[in-house]
């Protein structure tokens, strides 16, 4: 069996119909598989990120064909090869995973404040989504955040992160909720409400 290699492809382009089909068609024509993907449209631009796998010649064909793709479609894609990492042998505890949600009146630096608390307490952000919308009565901008994080016990603890988020929530008038979605502590106290 051939060894699979991995490549991340990313692009930010003015949104238009067919962007995803063009990129996935290009990948499929070279015999590669899309293992994971994210597509989002913000401010009229599409952000695309694909994790691609294939044999060494197939992955090389994708990399070498990117200039041709740009000439044919205008889609400018950057690539980054991933080093092959062998999974560790034996049972390894996977890190605890949490979902953190937040809402508040929008103001500068709110995303940094929350993510910096997560970072400084041993958390790793896997997914992050934010948005703003107008409050129904006042029209003031309301901020909303949802992120998925992992927290390895050797680098941080849920209690310490909860305390740090609680302090931030009180100081900055942010409504925060942290919920564990897997791991051994998920059943006893899955929701930590911080207001």
């Amino acid at each position: 069996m051939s060894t699979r290699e991995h490549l991340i492809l990313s692009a930010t382009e003015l949104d238009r119909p067919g962007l995803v089909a063009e990129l996935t068609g290009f990948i499929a024509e070279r015999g590669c598989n899309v293992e994971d993907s994210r597509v989002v449209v913000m401010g009229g631009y599409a952000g695309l990120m694909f994790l691609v796998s294939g044999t060494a010649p197939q992955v090389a064909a994708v990399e070498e064909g990117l200039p041709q793709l740009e000439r044919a479609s205008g889609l400018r894609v950057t690539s980054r090869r991933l080093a092959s990492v062998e999974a560790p042998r034996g049972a390894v505890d996977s890190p605890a995973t949490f979902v953190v949600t937040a809402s508040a009146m929008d103001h500068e630096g709110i995303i940094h404040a929350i993510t910096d608390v997560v970072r400084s307490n041993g958390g790793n952000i896997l997914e992050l989504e934010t948005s703003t919308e107008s409050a129904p009565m006042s029209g003031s901008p309301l901020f909303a955040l949802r992120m998925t994080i992992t927290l390895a016990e050797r680098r941080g603890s849920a209690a310490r992160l909860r305390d740090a988020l609680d302090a931030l929530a009180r100081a900055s008038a942010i409504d925060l909720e942290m919920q564990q979605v897997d791991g051994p502590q998920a059943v006893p106290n899955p929701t930590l409400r911080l207001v």
Side-chain angles (χ1 to χ4, degrees), residues 124-141:
N124 182 43
I125 299 171
L126 302 179
E127 293 182 345
L128 172 65
E129 183 177 342
T130 65
S131 63
T132 55
E133 60 182 48
S134 296
M137 300 292 276
S138 67
S140 300

Side-chain angles (χ1 to χ4, degrees), residues 148-160:
T148 303
I149 65 170
T150 56
L151 186 64
E153 284 299 322
R154 63 183 166 74
R155 294 182 45 222
S157 75
R160 190 171 71 224

Side-chain angles (χ1 to χ4, degrees), residues 57-76:
Q58 291 168 332
V59 169
V62 168
E63 288 179 306
E64 292 163 6
L66 291 177
Q68 175 190 357
L69 175 66
E70 183 176 349
R71 284 190 301 275
S73 68
L75 187 58
R76 292 176 302 271

Side-chain angles (χ1 to χ4, degrees), residues 85-141:
V85 179
E86 188 174 322
R89 295 173 190 233
V92 175
D93 292 336
S94 60
T97 303
F98 299 85
V99 171
V100 176
T101 56
S103 62
M105 297 302 291
D106 192 28
H107 61 275
E108 291 81 6
I110 191 169
I111 298 171
H112 171 70
I114 296 169
T115 57
D116 194 48
V117 166
V118 170
R119 176 202 55 83
S120 63
N121 286 279
N124 182 43
I125 299 171
L126 302 179
E127 293 182 345
L128 172 65
E129 183 177 342
T130 65
S131 63
T132 55
E133 60 182 48
S134 296
M137 300 292 276
S138 67
S140 300

